[in-house]
Amino acid sequence: MARWVCFDAILLLLAAWVLAADSPRPIPKDTLPAKLPLDDIPLGLGPRSVPKDNPLTEARVKLGRKLFFDPILSADATIACASCHQPDHGFAGGAEKPVGIRGQKIARRAPTLLNRAYGASFFWDGRAGSLEEQALRPIEDPTEMGSSVADVVKRLKADKDYKAQFEAAFDDGITADNLAKALAGFERVLLRGDSRVDRFRRKGEHDALTPQERHGLWLYESKARCWRCHSGSNFTDEGFHNTGVSWGNDPADLGRFAVTKKASDKGKFKTPTLRGLSLTAPYMHDGSLKTLDDVVEFYNRGGGANPNLDTVIGALELSEEEKRNLVAFLKAL
């Protein structure tokens, strides 16, 4: 009898664990400052691109902010934008694979939204050409929010608070285009700069970086070859490269190829910004590298061998000290 009771208890525990794994996760709270600056550009960043038909206004940014944290955008009111793009993780996913509606695992990790105002294309495969276009895609993705834009617009029109906020932000009130514009406006003010690296480079503050970090910067710009892809003030060329990450996995993820259908784009993924890097682990589009040490080691050995490996990728032959110093510099970003 005792054995059967014990077995039943184990089954109950297993059932509870499965239910917990599939149950909605708490939506992160909005812990951002009460008022977000619209015009201030942090040290180290250049002018950002703002569409003429979607200027940054307090009303639009405030509305987009509310929408970002609201599960009203998902079919069953369990998932918000913040569920995958978590503020405490640099507006990136804190897990290898994000969890969407009904506990579904999303194929790629959520990239950071920091400094996306400087983006040329969006998503790991570049399928969207603007933040406005990007903002609506997750709503209709069956594994993410599992809804439709039309249904979301209906729900928003039935909400008195949203009706008032949309009318304050847009002349024509609640529309699909305005939903996209509000979300994109909020994302455009998520800027990160003024790091110790910026103070070293832009203001000449020599002691802003330690000797170890300064050596890491030298490696970044020379022997380690990081600058070839992570260039410019936002530390990304906004391009697509095959580094061998996830190559050969089953099922295959061919990245940019799914958009262009060009054989040369197989295995290429968008170069992410390195701003706020310490916050955005795990790394790569599949979250397969858990730490910055893992990332540096991956590139030190020459990435992942495959027929489409980018020509800029090759063994670096960094010493253990050089690897530590490079990681120290990356953390200073």
Side-chain angles (χ1 to χ4, degrees):
M1 179 65 73
R3 288 182 179 178
W4 289 113
V5 171
C6 183
F7 183 68
D8 288 343
I10 291 173
L11 287 178
L12 287 171
L13 286 171
L14 286 172
W17 179 80
V18 170
L19 286 172
D22 291 337
S23 62
R25 298 182 180 184
I27 295 170
K29 294 181 179 180
D30 182 351
T31 57
L32 297 172
K35 187 174 181 179
L36 299 174
L38 304 186
D39 301 318
D40 294 347
I41 304 296
L43 179 69
L45 300 178
R48 71 191 147 187
S49 176
V50 179
K52 291 182 179 179
D53 66 345
N54 191 21
L56 289 175
T57 68
E58 286 192 20
R60 293 188 183 192
V61 170
K62 182 180 179 181
L63 173 58
R65 176 177 183 168
K66 181 178 180 180
L67 290 163
F68 187 86
F69 289 91
D70 195 336
I72 195 173
L73 301 185
S74 63
D76 62 359
T78 62
I79 301 294
C81 303
S83 298
C84 293
H85 297 282
Q86 300 169 16
D88 290 347
H89 289 282
F91 288 91
E96 178 181 326
K97 296 291 175 65
V99 178
I101 193 170
R102 293 183 289 277
Q104 297 178 93
K105 290 290 182 73
I106 299 170
R108 297 171 184 162
R109 66 177 295 269
T112 180
L113 296 181
L114 294 174
N115 296 352
R116 284 296 75 211
Y118 300 94
S121 61
F122 304 85
F123 294 100
W124 286 106
D125 54 17
R127 78 189 85 144
S130 70
L131 273 175
E132 284 76 9
E133 181 184 352
Q134 174 273 327
L136 298 183
R137 294 286 187 100
I139 293 173
E140 298 196 317
D141 189 308
T143 64
E144 293 188 47
M145 291 181 166
S147 187
S148 72
V149 172
D151 285 344
V152 169
V153 168
K154 288 179 183 178
R155 291 198 290 272
L156 293 172
K157 285 183 175 180
D159 187 293
K160 291 182 180 179
D161 289 340
Y162 272 120
K163 189 173 184 295
Q165 280 197 253
F166 268 92
E167 288 175 353
F170 301 98
D171 292 338
D172 49 349
I174 300 174
T175 67
D177 283 346
N178 292 343
L179 169 61
K181 287 178 178 178
L183 286 166
F186 169 66
E187 292 177 6
R188 283 195 177 93
V189 302
L190 300 177
L191 303 183
R192 190 175 185 93
D194 196 16
S195 69
R196 291 187 294 111
V197 175
D198 295 305
R199 294 194 289 276
F200 175 83
R201 283 175 142 185
R202 307 287 180 170
K203 289 188 173 182
E205 295 181 9
H206 183 267
D207 292 335
L209 297 180
T210 67
Q212 183 184 30
E213 291 162 348
R214 291 197 295 270
H215 185 217
L217 170 57
W218 179 83
L219 291 165
Y220 182 96
E221 295 178 335
S222 57
K223 184 177 179 180
R225 292 182 278 183
C226 312
W227 63 273
R228 293 195 175 191
C229 300
H230 296 281
S231 55
S233 63
N234 200 28
F235 294 86
T236 169
D237 63 0
E238 285 294 318
F240 301 87
H241 300 274
N242 178 322
T243 64
V245 173
S246 79
W247 186 274
N249 286 2
D250 186 18
D253 186 346
L254 297 181
R256 182 70 172 157
F257 172 77
V259 177
T260 66
K261 306 304 180 184
K262 294 180 180 178
S264 59
D265 283 337
K266 288 183 178 180
K268 287 186 177 181
F269 293 89
K270 190 170 181 58
T271 306
T273 178
L274 299 184
R275 294 280 187 180
L277 202 59
S278 295
L279 300 172
T280 59
Y283 302 102
M284 307 303 185
H285 68 272
D286 61 352
S288 58
L289 301 180
K290 309 304 180 188
T291 69
L292 287 175
D293 297 276
D294 294 338
V295 173
V296 169
E297 183 55 45
F298 174 79
Y299 285 115
N300 191 50
R301 64 174 180 263
N306 71 87
N308 275 15
L309 187 67
D310 200 293
T311 55
V312 304
I313 305 297
L316 303 176
E317 298 182 354
L318 299 176
S319 68
E320 292 301 316
E321 181 183 11
E322 287 173 329
K323 286 187 283 186
R324 287 193 298 270
N325 292 352
L326 181 56
V327 169
F329 164 72
L330 294 174
K331 289 180 178 180
L333 279 170

